[in-house]
Amino acid sequence: GQPRGQVRPGSSGAAVQRAPQAAGPEEAGEDAEVSTRKKTFAEVQTERLEQAERTVLIKCPPKLNEKKLLQYLSSHGNIKSHFFFENRGIHALIEFSEKNSIASLQDAIGLPSAAEYHVVPFKSRLFTFMLKNPVSQAAEETPLHLSPQSHIPVKELIEKLCHADSISSQMYILLNEYQLTDENIKLRYLVCSLVRDFARAYFPDSTVKPFGSSVNTFGKLGCDVDMFLDFHDTQKHAAKTKKGPFDMEYQMKRLPSERLATQKILSVVGDCLDNFGPGCVSVQKILNARCPLVKFSHQPTGFQCDLSVSNSIAIKSSELLYIYGCLDSRVRALVFSVRCWARVHGLTNSIPGTWITNFSLTMMVMFFLQRRSPPIIPTLDQLKELADQKDKLVIGGYDCSFVSDLSKIKCTSNTETLDVLLGDFFEYYGNFDFRRNSINLRKGKEVNKPESSPLYIWNPFEQDLNISKNVNQPQLEKFVAMARESAWILRKEQKAQQMTNKEPWGLAALLIPFGKSNSNKMKNRMKGIGSETIRNLLDSLKLNNPTNLQKAVGK
Ligand code: CTP
Ligand code: MG
């Protein structure tokens, strides 16, 4: 398997760090310069999608002879990479060097007999491996290495964090435990590629691409796979200009609105997945949502998937976050810690509601990093300045241009440690004037709220949309209160003392629900600190006046 952590603990802004998306095992032999160059978002997507097309998934028996399996498969072509994972039994992901190996394998297998199964004549890329002679199938001496597809439980994480020597290294440990692995990313692209096989039954030119946290460098193991159907393969169609007097009834009936077209497309693809998609279960069409989608669960990989129709603006925000995530190793470490903290305290939830989403939270971290002095990441307007001709893009009247080549972006001279950044993040939002101000990543400035939503975060591309419109006043207040509590805990902490007492400290202390922390222990700790210190702490956090909290969040 691949090493899970590719991030070196180190807080220098210049630290070279490769996003897991940008790192593939095949690069190992390439010369240093090429392999350390950070790929553009488009390059990563193209490479991963192409890789997924050469990939199959094989369900294996519990006692597996790895050599036998690989030996058998190699008769269909060279295997470029493979790994095993556990999900309702053992599965193998096999990446062939050539796409035609898959056809060869499919041909060798043929279709099950119609008398036994009522088959739909669709050749899938999911196989079951079973040898007639169980003796030759028996397990080898060396046990299979299973690549983990989920992160360790928070409790276990907290224990690990307690052994670290700084908050900064705690944050990198969390990142390494939670971030998507190369293997998990391969599985995500494979699911998209399998769905594409189905979509092509109706729409031969379509592709299915992942977006959101699967590709923006901020995905954690277990997060959903957001994917969209794309009919506008720009590379294919760009060169074509209209010749001759004909207009085409473009692949479908003329429909009165784009929304209706989207709904109809998703409806048939959803039905197709539901009726015939191997391993696709719990297919749910949610066509009346603002962004119509089909939800389903893909059993062989265990992913929860959201399929929508091409949303160029969402893909641009994924690319923007990808750039931010690749620029400086502190960015992802801070986001993962904040997201984990928010989840533990019930500020975010896997079901949609009035709470802050991971996406909004990530944008809040980005904004905070833009506000440092000197800034750790550039504003979107600065990234737009760096855009060249090929980066120019206008979608629905909105200018979505920004630089795609990471090497054009200057490294920050900010050298603050993550210890400082984490504490300051909580202080910054604990004292943010949410009542008056909104968060604008394009300008990198707090600007007056254009309307009265409790939390206003400008959609970086559709400038009249608030990405956190769903958040209500109580949820915002809860966020502010938790941020203040956390800033306070980090400030007053006596690391040495807590390490000798074997108490969770630093980030670990923040990942324990505050209600559950022993209030006596809290009082004792308070006793230990001089009243002067407490007053200073309270002053610095503006907690001395209880109405300040309400004032800050606008009640
Ligand atoms: N999105 C958006 N505006 C929103 C919500 C979502 O543009 N108000 C886009 C973003 O590009 C986001 C993607 O839709 O990344 C997927 O949304 P979601 O799954 O909610 O967020 P993720 O970033 O994928 O995070 P998570 O790990 O929680 O799934
Ligand atoms: Mg998602």
Side-chain angles (χ1 to χ4, degrees):
Q2 279 282 292
R4 291 186 68 184
Q6 277 139 2
V7 182
R8 275 185 292 275
S11 50
S12 140
V16 178
Q17 176 249 317
R18 293 195 297 167
Q21 279 84 350
E26 64 280 1
E27 288 174 351
E30 289 179 23
D31 72 65
E33 208 214 298
V34 177
S35 64
T36 52
R37 181 178 77 84
K38 288 168 187 163
K39 290 176 181 154
T40 66
F41 182 74
E43 282 169 348
V44 175
Q45 284 239 326
T46 310
E47 188 181 304
R48 291 278 186 189
L49 284 167
E50 190 274 327
Q51 182 178 55
E53 283 185 32
R54 292 182 276 105
T55 303
V56 300
L57 201 60
I58 301 182
K59 191 169 165 45
C60 303
K63 285 191 171 176
L64 174 72
N65 186 324
E66 181 175 355
K67 265 200 209 118
K68 273 256 147 58
L69 171 71
L70 297 179
Q71 205 176 28
Y72 184 78
L73 289 169
S74 340
S75 67
H76 298 282
N78 185 44
I79 297 170
K80 195 160 184 198
S81 78
H82 78 281
F83 67 87
F84 296 94
F85 66 99
E86 159 83 48
N87 173 47
R88 303 154 162 258
I90 293 174
H91 288 77
L93 178 144
I94 308 285
E95 182 201 343
F96 285 106
S97 299
E98 305 288 338
K99 207 176 150 183
N100 59 19
S101 301
I102 296 174
S104 160
L105 181 60
Q106 284 169 332
D107 283 348
I109 294 167
L111 292 173
S113 84
E116 263 179 82
Y117 302 95
H118 306 287
V119 295
V120 174
F122 169 78
K123 288 185 177 174
S124 89
R125 279 188 275 153
L126 305 173
F127 304 93
T128 308
F129 180 62
M130 231 177 336
L131 289 176
K132 290 226 171 76
N133 178 1
V135 178
S136 59
Q137 192 172 284
E140 294 163 280
E141 293 296 303
T142 45
L144 270 190
H145 170 74
L146 297 174
S147 148
Q149 304 303 325
S150 56
H151 60 76
I152 56 171
V154 181
K155 227 181 130 196
E156 224 171 284
L157 175 73
I158 290 174
E159 276 167 31
K160 278 199 178 189
L161 297 185
C162 290
H163 298 113
D165 57 5
S166 67
I167 292 180
S168 168
S169 38
Q170 287 184 323
M171 292 168 76
Y172 282 110
I173 290 173
L174 186 148
L175 174 63
N176 284 332
E177 290 293 340
Y178 275 39
Q179 71 181 344
L180 302 182
T181 57
D182 182 61
E183 289 88 348
N184 192 267
I185 293 168
K186 280 186 178 163
L187 276 174
R188 286 168 187 268
Y189 277 88
L190 175 60
V191 176
C192 292
S193 172
L194 296 174
V195 172
R196 187 214 57 174
D197 287 354
F198 265 93
R200 285 200 176 168
Y202 281 103
F203 311 108
D205 281 343
S206 59
T207 32
V208 174
K209 292 179 183 162
F211 70 104
S213 58
S214 298
V215 298
N216 66 16
T217 74
F218 297 105
K220 76 166 188 190
L221 288 170
C223 71
D224 65 354
V225 183
D226 303 291
M227 52 176 91
F228 69 92
L229 259 166
D230 194 5
F231 303 105
H232 315 282
D233 197 332
T234 40
Q235 280 162 354
K236 253 193 192 167
H237 297 290
K240 286 188 191 163
T241 45
K242 189 178 156 174
K243 287 185 201 118
F246 298 105
D247 257 352
M248 179 166 47
E249 288 293 322
Y250 187 66
Q251 291 182 6
M252 59 184 144
K253 291 187 202 173
R254 285 177 191 262
L255 291 168
S257 73
E258 193 185 340
R259 181 173 168 82
L260 196 59
T262 298
Q263 288 169 330
K264 295 212 179 224
I265 291 166
L266 283 176
S267 182
V268 293
V269 175
D271 281 341
C272 196
L273 287 175
D274 196 11
N275 289 315
F276 311 121
C280 297
V281 298
S282 316
V283 181
Q284 238 185 316
K285 298 191 215 169
I286 306 170
L287 303 179
N288 287 323
R290 194 182 68 85
C291 178
L293 80 159
V294 172
K295 271 187 178 294
F296 64 95
S297 142
H298 189 254
Q299 271 188 330
T301 53
F303 288 130
Q304 177 59 49
C305 305
D306 281 0
L307 173 70
S308 49
V309 166
S310 180
N311 179 347
S312 330
I313 290 202
I315 200 85
K316 274 312 212 186
S317 30
S318 301
E319 177 170 0
L320 178 66
L321 287 179
Y322 170 87
I323 289 179
Y324 284 145
C326 289
L327 280 182
D328 187 291
S329 63
R330 290 169 292 180
V331 177
R332 295 171 65 238
L334 185 57
V335 168
F336 274 74
S337 292
V338 169
R339 281 184 169 201
C340 185
W341 164 85
R343 189 72 186 88
V344 163
H345 298 292
L347 296 169
T348 51
N349 200 304
S350 53
I351 44 173
T354 56
W355 28 79
I356 300 179
T357 60
N358 275 333
F359 182 60
S360 296
L361 207 51
T362 309
M363 291 302 194
M364 289 172 86
V365 177
M366 296 309 130
F367 184 71
F368 164 76
L369 295 171
Q370 291 177 337
R371 302 294 297 154
R372 301 309 289 175
S373 154
I376 294 180
I377 57 170
T379 67
L380 182 51
D381 272 342
Q382 289 165 338
L383 293 177
K384 185 175 142 191
E385 292 287 299
L386 296 171
D388 60 24
Q389 207 47 46
K390 71 172 175 3
D391 297 329
K392 292 263 178 287
L393 180 68
V394 176
I395 305 168
Y398 298 104
D399 190 347
C400 300
S401 315
F402 60 88
V403 65
S404 58
D405 180 355
L406 285 150
S407 64
K408 287 196 190 157
I409 308 167
K410 218 174 127 232
C411 273
T412 175
S413 55
N414 180 308
T415 56
E416 288 172 294
T417 64
L418 278 167
D419 298 52
V420 170
L421 292 173
L422 185 66
D424 283 9
F425 171 84
F426 292 127
E427 250 178 65
Y428 181 72
Y429 283 113
N431 295 310
F432 192 91
D433 189 356
F434 288 107
R435 201 176 33 150
R436 290 221 335 255
N437 288 336
S438 64
I439 292 167
N440 188 316
L441 283 103
R442 184 166 278 283
K443 308 242 168 299
K445 277 201 194 105
E446 298 172 17
V447 295
N448 280 342
K449 271 207 296 204
E451 44 106 336
S452 64
S453 298
L455 175 61
Y456 198 104
I457 305 173
W458 298 75
N459 181 311
F461 302 108
E462 285 167 283
Q463 281 281 301
D464 40 7
L465 281 185
N466 172 13
I467 64 164
S468 51
K469 208 179 170 58
N470 63 311
V471 178
N472 66 11
Q473 190 66 30
Q475 286 299 324
L476 179 64
E477 279 173 30
K478 192 171 159 191
F479 171 81
V480 171
M482 294 291 181
R484 290 181 172 199
E485 174 83 10
S486 303
W488 192 78
I489 290 175
L490 289 179
R491 277 262 187 137
K492 72 176 164 40
E493 259 200 351
Q494 305 284 317
K495 181 179 124 197
Q497 188 188 327
Q498 282 177 299
M499 279 182 94
T500 44
N501 292 348
K502 297 218 162 44
E503 280 174 49
W505 63 277
L507 179 58
L510 299 185
L511 297 183
I512 296 168
F514 297 148
K516 282 189 191 159
S517 70
N518 187 334
S519 60
N520 280 336
K521 206 157 61 180
M522 196 80 148
K523 276 186 212 141
N524 285 339
R525 277 196 226 140
M526 300 275 279
K527 266 193 231 153
I529 311 172
S531 59
E532 184 64 21
T533 322
I534 292 177
R535 201 173 324 117
N536 287 343
L537 281 168
L538 293 177
D539 279 350
S540 72
L541 293 171
K542 301 198 179 83
L543 268 174
N544 50 345
N545 178 352
T547 59
N548 266 0
L549 173 60
Q550 268 115 39
K551 263 197 221 156
V553 295
K555 240 205 171 162

